[in-house]
Amino acid sequence: MTTYRAEIYITLKPSVLDPAGTAITKGLQQQQYPGVEQVRIGKYIELTLTAANTAAAEAQVERMCQEVLTNPVIETYRFRLEGEG
Amino acid sequence: MTTYRAEIYITLKPSVLDPAGTAITKGLQQQQYPGVEQVRIGKYIELTLTAANTAAAEAQVERMCQEVLTNPVIETYRFRLEGEG
């Protein structure tokens, strides 16, 4: 079994409103950052797991994302996987 | 002025406990993912801004991270910047 490290990025779909992001955008603009145009907030998950090989690790992460870690109605995800040997 | 896109990854420092991550780790292990070893939850922010050049954009994002977007006592950040110009 090899240990893998996955970096998972979860974002709201473009069609979904992001009130927290809008609030931060306005806050930044009103302070000292007039150049800020848009802010969208997502989640970032670092996960280590053991699996027999890269394909198995990838399949597991994919399944976790779909079934547990994201809400597929409003969120999308992508991930990067690294073997740690 | 050029438009830049920054991807900011904010994570808890390794010494800081992450109760949400621990809960997700245990939940995944007890369900169908025994291979999961550790999960740590962070934030992912996508930000677009206009700036005169790459160095200026980078300095702005750096300052926003330090002053507004993160809590430097418990969090660390890194970011990637892309010009869209």
Side-chain angles (χ1 to χ4, degrees), chain A:
Chain A
M1 300 291 268
T2 312
T3 300
Y4 294 89
R5 187 168 170 282
E7 298 186 350
I8 305 168
Y9 313 99
I10 302 170
T11 47
L12 287 169
K13 290 185 180 172
S15 59
V16 177
L17 286 176
D18 176 7
T22 308
I24 293 179
T25 309
K26 289 192 182 141
L28 287 169
Q29 286 167 346
Q30 283 164 12
Q31 288 179 28
Q32 318 140 28
Y33 307 96
V36 173
E37 289 184 349
Q38 200 192 21
V39 180
R40 282 182 80 83
I41 311 289
K43 268 174 277 181
Y44 170 61
I45 298 179
E46 282 177 2
L47 190 148
T48 50
L49 76 164
T50 54
N53 54 50
T54 307
E58 216 167 276
Q60 260 197 69
V61 174
E62 186 81 42
R63 204 154 56 88
M64 277 187 261
C65 284
Q66 281 170 15
E67 295 181 1
V68 187
L69 300 174
T70 74
N71 177 347
V73 177
I74 58 167
E75 293 171 331
T76 54
Y77 63 89
R78 61 180 205 279
F79 65 87
R80 228 161 51 85
L81 197 70
E82 279 169 14
E84 280 185 349

Coordinates of all heavy atoms in Angstrom, one line a residue, chain A:
Chain A
M1 N 0.8 -1.2 0.0 CA 0.0 0.0 0.0 C 0.9 1.2 0.0 O 1.9 1.3 0.7 CB -0.9 0.0 1.2 CG -1.8 -1.2 1.3 SD -3.1 -1.2 0.1 CE -4.4 -0.3 0.9
T2 N 0.5 2.2 -0.8 CA 1.3 3.4 -0.9 C 0.4 4.6 -0.3 O -0.8 4.5 -0.3 CB 1.5 3.8 -2.4 OG1 2.0 2.6 -3.0 CG2 2.5 4.9 -2.5
T3 N 1.1 5.5 0.3 CA 0.4 6.7 0.9 C 0.3 7.8 -0.2 O 1.3 8.1 -0.9 CB 1.2 7.2 2.1 OG1 1.2 6.2 3.1 CG2 0.5 8.4 2.7
Y4 N -0.8 8.3 -0.4 CA -1.0 9.4 -1.3 C -1.5 10.6 -0.6 O -2.2 10.5 0.4 CB -2.1 9.0 -2.4 CG -1.6 7.9 -3.3 CD1 -1.8 6.5 -2.9 CD2 -0.9 8.1 -4.5 CE1 -1.3 5.5 -3.7 CE2 -0.4 7.1 -5.3 CZ -0.6 5.8 -4.9 OH -0.2 4.8 -5.7
R5 N -1.3 11.8 -1.3 CA -1.7 13.0 -0.7 C -2.6 13.7 -1.8 O -2.1 13.9 -2.9 CB -0.5 13.9 -0.4 CG -0.8 15.2 0.3 CD 0.5 15.8 0.8 NE 0.3 17.1 1.3 CZ 0.1 18.2 0.5 NH1 0.2 18.1 -0.7 NH2 -0.2 19.4 1.1
A6 N -3.8 14.0 -1.4 CA -4.7 14.7 -2.4 C -5.0 16.1 -1.9 O -5.2 16.4 -0.7 CB -6.0 13.9 -2.4
E7 N -4.9 17.0 -2.9 CA -5.4 18.4 -2.6 C -6.7 18.6 -3.4 O -6.7 18.5 -4.6 CB -4.3 19.4 -3.1 CG -3.0 19.2 -2.4 CD -2.0 20.3 -2.8 OE1 -2.3 21.1 -3.8 OE2 -0.9 20.4 -2.2
I8 N -7.7 18.9 -2.6 CA -9.0 19.0 -3.2 C -9.5 20.4 -3.2 O -9.5 21.1 -2.1 CB -10.0 18.1 -2.5 CG1 -9.5 16.6 -2.5 CG2 -11.4 18.1 -3.1 CD1 -10.2 15.7 -1.5
Y9 N -10.0 21.0 -4.3 CA -10.5 22.3 -4.4 C -11.9 22.3 -4.7 O -12.3 21.7 -5.7 CB -9.8 23.1 -5.5 CG -8.3 23.0 -5.5 CD1 -7.7 22.1 -6.3 CD2 -7.5 23.7 -4.6 CE1 -6.3 21.9 -6.3 CE2 -6.1 23.5 -4.5 CZ -5.5 22.6 -5.4 OH -4.2 22.4 -5.4
I10 N -12.7 22.9 -3.8 CA -14.2 22.8 -4.0 C -14.7 24.2 -4.1 O -14.4 25.1 -3.3 CB -14.9 22.2 -2.7 CG1 -14.3 20.8 -2.5 CG2 -16.4 22.2 -2.9 CD1 -14.7 20.1 -1.2
T11 N -15.4 24.5 -5.2 CA -15.9 25.8 -5.5 C -17.4 25.8 -5.8 O -17.9 24.8 -6.2 CB -15.2 26.5 -6.7 OG1 -15.2 25.5 -7.8 CG2 -13.8 26.9 -6.4
L12 N -18.1 26.9 -5.5 CA -19.5 27.0 -5.9 C -19.5 27.1 -7.4 O -18.7 27.7 -8.0 CB -20.1 28.3 -5.3 CG -20.3 28.3 -3.7 CD1 -20.6 29.7 -3.2 CD2 -21.4 27.3 -3.4
K13 N -20.6 26.5 -7.9 CA -20.8 26.6 -9.4 C -21.0 28.1 -9.7 O -21.5 28.9 -8.9 CB -22.0 25.8 -9.8 CG -21.8 24.3 -9.7 CD -23.0 23.5 -10.2 CE -22.8 22.1 -10.1 NZ -23.9 21.2 -10.5
P14 N -20.6 28.5 -10.9 CA -20.7 29.9 -11.3 C -22.1 30.5 -11.2 O -22.3 31.6 -10.9 CB -20.2 29.9 -12.8 CG -19.4 28.7 -12.9 CD -19.9 27.7 -12.0
S15 N -23.1 29.6 -11.4 CA -24.5 30.1 -11.3 C -25.0 30.3 -9.9 O -26.1 30.9 -9.7 CB -25.4 29.1 -12.0 OG -25.3 27.9 -11.4
V16 N -24.2 29.8 -8.9 CA -24.7 29.9 -7.5 C -24.2 31.2 -6.8 O -23.0 31.5 -6.9 CB -24.2 28.7 -6.7 CG1 -24.6 28.8 -5.3 CG2 -24.7 27.4 -7.3
L17 N -25.1 31.9 -6.2 CA -24.7 33.1 -5.5 C -23.7 32.8 -4.4 O -23.9 31.8 -3.7 CB -25.9 33.9 -4.9 CG -26.8 34.6 -6.0 CD1 -28.0 35.1 -5.3 CD2 -26.1 35.7 -6.7
D18 N -22.8 33.7 -4.1 CA -21.8 33.5 -3.0 C -21.9 34.8 -2.1 O -21.1 35.7 -2.3 CB -20.4 33.3 -3.6 CG -19.4 33.2 -2.6 OD1 -19.7 33.2 -1.4 OD2 -18.2 33.2 -2.9
P19 N -22.8 34.8 -1.2 CA -23.0 36.1 -0.4 C -21.7 36.4 0.4 O -21.4 37.6 0.6 CB -24.1 35.7 0.6 CG -24.6 34.4 0.2 CD -23.8 33.8 -0.9
A20 N -21.0 35.4 0.9 CA -19.8 35.6 1.7 C -18.7 36.3 0.8 O -18.1 37.2 1.2 CB -19.3 34.3 2.3
G21 N -18.6 35.8 -0.4 CA -17.7 36.3 -1.3 C -18.0 37.8 -1.7 O -17.1 38.6 -1.8
T22 N -19.3 38.0 -1.9 CA -19.7 39.4 -2.2 C -19.4 40.4 -1.0 O -18.9 41.5 -1.3 CB -21.2 39.4 -2.5 OG1 -21.5 38.4 -3.5 CG2 -21.7 40.8 -3.0
A23 N -19.7 39.9 0.2 CA -19.4 40.7 1.3 C -17.9 41.0 1.4 O -17.5 42.2 1.7 CB -19.8 40.0 2.6
I24 N -17.1 40.1 1.2 CA -15.6 40.3 1.2 C -15.2 41.2 0.1 O -14.4 42.1 0.3 CB -14.8 39.0 1.2 CG1 -15.1 38.2 2.4 CG2 -13.3 39.2 1.0 CD1 -14.4 36.8 2.5
T25 N -15.8 41.0 -1.1 CA -15.4 41.9 -2.2 C -15.7 43.4 -1.8 O -14.9 44.3 -2.0 CB -16.3 41.6 -3.5 OG1 -16.2 40.2 -3.7 CG2 -15.9 42.4 -4.7
K26 N -16.9 43.6 -1.3 CA -17.3 45.0 -0.9 C -16.4 45.5 0.2 O -16.0 46.7 0.2 CB -18.8 45.1 -0.5 CG -19.7 44.9 -1.7 CD -21.1 45.2 -1.4 CE -22.0 45.0 -2.7 NZ -23.3 44.4 -2.4
G27 N -16.1 44.7 1.2 CA -15.3 45.1 2.3 C -13.9 45.5 1.8 O -13.4 46.6 2.2
L28 N -13.3 44.7 0.9 CA -12.0 45.0 0.4 C -12.0 46.3 -0.4 O -11.1 47.2 -0.3 CB -11.5 43.9 -0.5 CG -11.1 42.6 0.3 CD1 -10.8 41.4 -0.7 CD2 -9.8 42.8 1.1
Q29 N -13.0 46.5 -1.3 CA -13.1 47.7 -2.1 C -13.2 48.9 -1.3 O -12.6 50.0 -1.6 CB -14.3 47.6 -3.1 CG -14.1 46.6 -4.2 CD -15.4 46.2 -5.0 OE1 -16.5 46.5 -4.5 NE2 -15.2 45.6 -6.1
Q30 N -14.0 48.9 -0.2 CA -14.2 50.0 0.6 C -13.0 50.4 1.5 O -12.9 51.5 2.0 CB -15.5 49.9 1.5 CG -16.8 50.0 0.7 CD -18.0 49.5 1.4 OE1 -17.9 49.2 2.6 NE2 -19.1 49.4 0.8
Q31 N -12.2 49.4 1.7 CA -11.0 49.6 2.5 C -9.9 50.1 1.5 O -10.1 51.1 0.8 CB -10.6 48.4 3.2 CG -11.5 48.2 4.4 CD -11.1 46.9 5.2 OE1 -9.9 46.6 5.2 NE2 -12.1 46.3 5.8
Q32 N -8.8 49.4 1.4 CA -7.7 50.0 0.6 C -7.5 49.2 -0.6 O -6.4 49.3 -1.2 CB -6.4 50.0 1.5 CG -6.7 50.5 2.9 CD -5.8 49.6 3.9 OE1 -4.8 49.1 3.5 NE2 -6.3 49.5 5.1
Y33 N -8.5 48.5 -1.1 CA -8.2 47.6 -2.3 C -9.3 47.9 -3.4 O -10.1 47.0 -3.7 CB -8.2 46.2 -1.8 CG -7.3 45.9 -0.7 CD1 -7.8 45.8 0.6 CD2 -5.9 45.7 -0.9 CE1 -6.9 45.6 1.7 CE2 -5.1 45.4 0.1 CZ -5.6 45.4 1.4 OH -4.7 45.2 2.5
P34 N -9.2 49.1 -4.0 CA -10.2 49.4 -5.0 C -10.1 48.5 -6.2 O -11.1 48.4 -7.0 CB -9.9 50.9 -5.3 CG -8.5 51.1 -4.9 CD -8.3 50.2 -3.8
G35 N -8.9 47.9 -6.5 CA -8.7 47.1 -7.7 C -9.4 45.7 -7.6 O -9.5 45.1 -8.7
V36 N -10.0 45.3 -6.5 CA -10.6 44.0 -6.4 C -11.9 44.0 -7.1 O -12.7 44.9 -6.9 CB -10.8 43.6 -4.9 CG1 -11.6 42.3 -4.8 CG2 -9.5 43.5 -4.2
E37 N -12.1 43.0 -8.0 CA -13.3 42.9 -8.8 C -14.3 41.9 -8.3 O -15.5 42.1 -8.2 CB -13.0 42.7 -10.2 CG -12.3 43.9 -10.8 CD -12.1 43.7 -12.3 OE1 -12.2 42.6 -12.8 OE2 -11.7 44.7 -13.0
Q38 N -13.8 40.7 -8.0 CA -14.6 39.6 -7.5 C -13.9 38.7 -6.6 O -12.7 38.4 -6.8 CB -15.1 38.8 -8.7 CG -16.4 38.0 -8.4 CD -16.8 37.0 -9.5 OE1 -16.0 36.6 -10.3 NE2 -18.0 36.6 -9.4
V39 N -14.6 38.2 -5.6 CA -14.0 37.2 -4.7 C -15.0 36.1 -4.6 O -16.2 36.3 -4.4 CB -13.8 37.8 -3.3 CG1 -13.2 36.8 -2.3 CG2 -12.9 39.1 -3.4
R40 N -14.5 34.9 -4.7 CA -15.4 33.7 -4.5 C -14.7 32.8 -3.5 O -13.5 32.5 -3.6 CB -15.8 33.0 -5.8 CG -16.9 33.8 -6.5 CD -17.3 33.1 -7.8 NE -18.3 32.0 -7.6 CZ -19.6 32.2 -7.5 NH1 -20.1 33.4 -7.5 NH2 -20.4 31.1 -7.4
I41 N -15.5 32.3 -2.5 CA -14.9 31.5 -1.5 C -15.2 30.1 -1.7 O -16.3 29.7 -2.0 CB -15.6 31.9 -0.1 CG1 -15.6 33.4 0.1 CG2 -14.9 31.2 1.0 CD1 -14.3 34.0 0.4
G42 N -14.2 29.3 -1.6 CA -14.4 27.8 -1.7 C -13.7 27.1 -0.5 O -13.3 27.7 0.4
K43 N -13.7 25.8 -0.7 CA -13.0 25.0 0.4 C -11.8 24.3 -0.2 O -11.7 24.0 -1.4 CB -14.0 23.9 0.9 CG -14.8 24.4 2.1 CD -15.8 23.4 2.5 CE -17.1 23.5 1.6 NZ -18.1 22.6 2.0
Y44 N -10.8 24.1 0.6 CA -9.6 23.5 0.2 C -9.3 22.3 1.2 O -9.3 22.6 2.4 CB -8.5 24.5 0.3 CG -7.1 23.9 0.1 CD1 -6.7 23.2 -1.0 CD2 -6.1 24.1 1.1 CE1 -5.5 22.7 -1.2 CE2 -4.8 23.5 0.9 CZ -4.5 22.9 -0.2 OH -3.3 22.4 -0.4
I45 N -9.2 21.1 0.8 CA -9.1 20.0 1.7 C -7.8 19.2 1.3 O -7.5 18.9 0.2 CB -10.3 19.0 1.5 CG1 -11.6 19.8 1.9 CG2 -10.1 17.8 2.4 CD1 -12.8 18.9 1.8
E46 N -7.0 19.0 2.3 CA -5.8 18.2 2.2 C -6.1 16.9 2.8 O -6.4 16.8 4.0 CB -4.6 18.9 2.9 CG -4.0 20.0 2.1 CD -2.8 20.6 2.8 OE1 -2.5 20.2 3.9 OE2 -2.2 21.6 2.3
L47 N -5.8 15.8 2.1 CA -6.3 14.5 2.5 C -5.1 13.5 2.3 O -4.5 13.5 1.2 CB -7.5 14.1 1.8 CG -8.4 12.9 2.1 CD1 -9.8 13.2 1.8 CD2 -7.9 11.7 1.3
T48 N -4.8 12.7 3.3 CA -3.8 11.6 3.0 C -4.5 10.3 3.1 O -5.4 10.1 4.0 CB -2.6 11.6 4.0 OG1 -3.1 11.7 5.3 CG2 -1.7 12.8 3.7
L49 N -4.2 9.4 2.2 CA -4.9 8.1 2.2 C -3.9 7.0 1.7 O -2.9 7.4 1.0 CB -6.1 8.1 1.4 CG -6.1 8.0 -0.1 CD1 -7.4 7.7 -0.7 CD2 -5.6 9.4 -0.7
T50 N -4.1 5.8 2.1 CA -3.3 4.7 1.5 C -4.2 3.9 0.6 O -5.4 3.8 0.7 CB -2.9 3.7 2.7 OG1 -4.0 3.3 3.4 CG2 -1.9 4.4 3.6
A51 N -3.5 3.5 -0.5 CA -4.2 2.7 -1.5 C -3.2 1.9 -2.2 O -2.0 2.1 -2.1 CB -4.9 3.7 -2.5
A52 N -3.7 0.9 -3.0 CA -2.9 -0.1 -3.6 C -2.0 0.6 -4.7 O -0.9 0.3 -4.9 CB -3.7 -1.2 -4.2
N53 N -2.7 1.5 -5.5 CA -1.9 2.1 -6.6 C -2.6 3.5 -6.9 O -3.7 3.8 -6.3 CB -1.9 1.3 -7.8 CG -3.3 0.8 -8.2 OD1 -4.2 1.6 -8.3 ND2 -3.4 -0.5 -8.4
T54 N -2.0 4.2 -7.8 CA -2.5 5.6 -8.1 C -4.0 5.5 -8.6 O -4.8 6.4 -8.2 CB -1.7 6.2 -9.2 OG1 -0.3 6.2 -8.7 CG2 -2.0 7.7 -9.3
A55 N -4.3 4.6 -9.4 CA -5.7 4.5 -10.0 C -6.7 4.3 -8.9 O -7.8 4.9 -8.8 CB -5.8 3.4 -11.0
A56 N -6.3 3.4 -7.9 CA -7.2 3.1 -6.8 C -7.4 4.3 -5.9 O -8.5 4.7 -5.5 CB -6.7 1.9 -6.0
A57 N -6.3 5.1 -5.7 CA -6.4 6.3 -4.9 C -7.3 7.3 -5.5 O -8.1 7.9 -4.9 CB -5.0 6.8 -4.6
E58 N -7.1 7.5 -6.8 CA -7.8 8.4 -7.6 C -9.3 8.1 -7.5 O -10.2 9.0 -7.3 CB -7.3 8.4 -9.0 CG -7.3 9.8 -9.7 CD -6.6 9.8 -11.0 OE1 -5.3 9.9 -10.9 OE2 -7.2 9.6 -12.0
A59 N -9.6 6.8 -7.7 CA -11.0 6.4 -7.7 C -11.7 6.7 -6.3 O -12.8 7.1 -6.2 CB -11.1 4.9 -8.0
Q60 N -10.9 6.4 -5.2 CA -11.4 6.7 -3.9 C -11.7 8.1 -3.6 O -12.7 8.5 -3.1 CB -10.4 6.2 -2.8 CG -10.7 4.8 -2.3 CD -9.9 4.6 -1.0 OE1 -10.2 5.2 0.1 NE2 -9.0 3.7 -1.0
V61 N -10.7 9.0 -4.0 CA -10.9 10.4 -3.8 C -12.1 10.9 -4.6 O -12.9 11.7 -4.1 CB -9.6 11.2 -4.2 CG1 -9.8 12.7 -4.1 CG2 -8.5 10.8 -3.3
E62 N -12.2 10.5 -5.9 CA -13.3 10.9 -6.7 C -14.6 10.5 -6.0 O -15.6 11.3 -6.0 CB -13.2 10.1 -8.0 CG -14.2 10.4 -9.1 CD -13.8 11.7 -9.9 OE1 -12.6 11.9 -10.2 OE2 -14.7 12.5 -10.1
R63 N -14.7 9.3 -5.5 CA -15.9 8.8 -4.9 C -16.3 9.6 -3.6 O -17.4 10.0 -3.3 CB -15.8 7.3 -4.6 CG -17.2 6.6 -4.4 CD -17.0 5.1 -4.8 NE -16.0 4.5 -3.9 CZ -16.3 3.9 -2.7 NH1 -17.5 4.0 -2.2 NH2 -15.3 3.3 -2.0
M64 N -15.2 9.9 -2.8 CA -15.4 10.7 -1.6 C -15.9 12.1 -1.9 O -16.8 12.6 -1.3 CB -14.1 10.9 -0.9 CG -13.7 9.7 0.0 SD -12.2 10.2 1.0 CE -11.0 9.3 0.0
C65 N -15.4 12.7 -3.0 CA -15.8 14.0 -3.4 C -17.3 14.0 -3.8 O -18.0 14.8 -3.3 CB -15.0 14.5 -4.6 SG -13.3 15.1 -4.1
Q66 N -17.7 13.0 -4.5 CA -19.0 12.9 -5.0 C -20.0 12.6 -3.9 O -21.1 13.1 -3.9 CB -19.2 11.9 -6.1 CG -18.7 12.5 -7.4 CD -18.6 11.4 -8.5 OE1 -19.1 10.3 -8.4 NE2 -17.9 11.7 -9.6
E67 N -19.6 11.7 -3.0 CA -20.6 11.2 -2.0 C -20.6 12.0 -0.7 O -21.6 12.0 0.0 CB -20.4 9.7 -1.8 CG -20.6 8.9 -3.0 CD -20.4 7.4 -2.8 OE1 -20.1 7.0 -1.7 OE2 -20.6 6.7 -3.8
V68 N -19.4 12.5 -0.3 CA -19.3 13.0 1.1 C -18.9 14.5 1.1 O -19.5 15.3 1.8 CB -18.4 12.2 1.9 CG1 -18.4 12.7 3.4 CG2 -18.7 10.7 1.8
L69 N -17.8 14.8 0.4 CA -17.2 16.1 0.6 C -17.8 17.3 -0.1 O -17.6 18.4 0.3 CB -15.7 16.0 0.2 CG -14.9 14.9 0.9 CD1 -13.5 14.8 0.3 CD2 -14.8 15.2 2.4
T70 N -18.6 17.0 -1.1 CA -19.2 18.2 -1.8 C -20.7 18.0 -2.0 O -21.2 16.9 -1.8 CB -18.6 18.3 -3.3 OG1 -19.2 17.3 -4.1 CG2 -17.1 18.2 -3.3
N71 N -21.3 19.1 -2.2 CA -22.8 19.0 -2.6 C -22.9 19.2 -4.1 O -22.7 20.4 -4.6 CB -23.5 20.2 -1.8 CG -24.9 20.3 -2.2 OD1 -25.4 19.6 -3.2 ND2 -25.7 21.0 -1.5
P72 N -23.1 18.2 -4.8 CA -23.0 18.3 -6.3 C -24.0 19.2 -6.9 O -23.9 19.5 -8.1 CB -23.2 16.8 -6.7 CG -23.8 16.1 -5.6 CD -23.4 16.8 -4.3
V73 N -25.0 19.5 -6.1 CA -26.1 20.4 -6.7 C -25.5 21.8 -6.9 O -25.8 22.5 -7.9 CB -27.3 20.5 -5.8 CG1 -28.3 21.5 -6.3 CG2 -27.9 19.1 -5.6
I74 N -24.7 22.3 -5.9 CA -24.2 23.7 -6.0 C -22.7 23.8 -6.1 O -22.2 24.9 -6.3 CB -24.7 24.5 -4.7 CG1 -24.2 23.8 -3.4 CG2 -26.2 24.7 -4.7 CD1 -24.3 24.7 -2.2
E75 N -22.0 22.7 -5.9 CA -20.5 22.8 -5.9 C -19.9 21.9 -7.0 O -20.4 20.9 -7.4 CB -20.0 22.3 -4.5 CG -20.3 23.3 -3.4 CD -19.9 22.7 -2.0 OE1 -19.9 21.5 -1.9 OE2 -19.7 23.5 -1.1
T76 N -18.7 22.4 -7.4 CA -17.9 21.5 -8.3 C -16.5 21.3 -7.6 O -16.2 22.1 -6.7 CB -17.6 22.2 -9.6 OG1 -17.0 23.5 -9.4 CG2 -18.8 22.3 -10.5
Y77 N -15.8 20.4 -8.0 CA -14.5 20.1 -7.4 C -13.5 19.7 -8.4 O -13.8 19.3 -9.5 CB -14.6 19.0 -6.3 CG -15.0 17.7 -6.9 CD1 -14.1 16.8 -7.4 CD2 -16.3 17.3 -7.0 CE1 -14.4 15.5 -7.9 CE2 -16.7 16.1 -7.6 CZ -15.8 15.2 -8.1 OH -16.1 14.1 -8.6
R78 N -12.2 19.9 -8.0 CA -11.1 19.2 -8.8 C -10.1 18.8 -7.8 O -10.1 19.4 -6.7 CB -10.6 20.2 -9.9 CG -10.0 21.5 -9.4 CD -9.5 22.3 -10.6 NE -8.4 23.2 -10.2 CZ -8.6 24.3 -9.5 NH1 -9.8 24.8 -9.3 NH2 -7.6 25.1 -9.2
F79 N -9.2 17.9 -8.1 CA -8.2 17.5 -7.2 C -6.9 17.1 -7.9 O -6.9 16.9 -9.0 CB -8.7 16.4 -6.2 CG -9.0 15.1 -6.9 CD1 -8.0 14.2 -7.1 CD2 -10.3 14.8 -7.3 CE1 -8.2 13.0 -7.7 CE2 -10.5 13.6 -7.9 CZ -9.5 12.7 -8.1
R80 N -5.9 17.2 -7.1 CA -4.5 16.8 -7.5 C -4.0 15.7 -6.6 O -4.2 15.8 -5.4 CB -3.6 18.0 -7.3 CG -2.8 18.4 -8.5 CD -2.3 19.9 -8.4 NE -1.7 20.1 -7.1 CZ -0.4 19.9 -6.8 NH1 0.4 19.4 -7.7 NH2 0.0 20.1 -5.6
L81 N -3.4 14.7 -7.1 CA -3.0 13.6 -6.3 C -1.5 13.4 -6.4 O -0.9 13.5 -7.5 CB -3.7 12.3 -6.8 CG -3.7 11.1 -5.9 CD1 -4.6 11.4 -4.7 CD2 -4.2 9.9 -6.6
E82 N -0.8 13.2 -5.3 CA 0.6 13.0 -5.3 C 0.9 11.7 -4.5 O 0.4 11.5 -3.4 CB 1.4 14.1 -4.5 CG 1.6 15.3 -5.3 CD 2.1 16.4 -4.4 OE1 2.5 16.1 -3.2 OE2 2.0 17.6 -4.8
G83 N 1.7 10.8 -5.1 CA 2.2 9.7 -4.3 C 3.3 10.1 -3.4 O 4.1 10.9 -3.7
E84 N 3.3 9.5 -2.2 CA 4.4 9.8 -1.3 C 5.4 8.7 -1.1 O 6.3 8.7 -0.4 CB 3.8 10.2 0.1 CG 3.3 11.6 0.1 CD 2.8 12.0 1.5 OE1 2.7 11.1 2.4 OE2 2.5 13.1 1.7
G85 N 5.1 7.6 -1.9 CA 6.0 6.4 -1.9 C 5.9 5.7 -0.5 O 6.8 5.0 -0.2

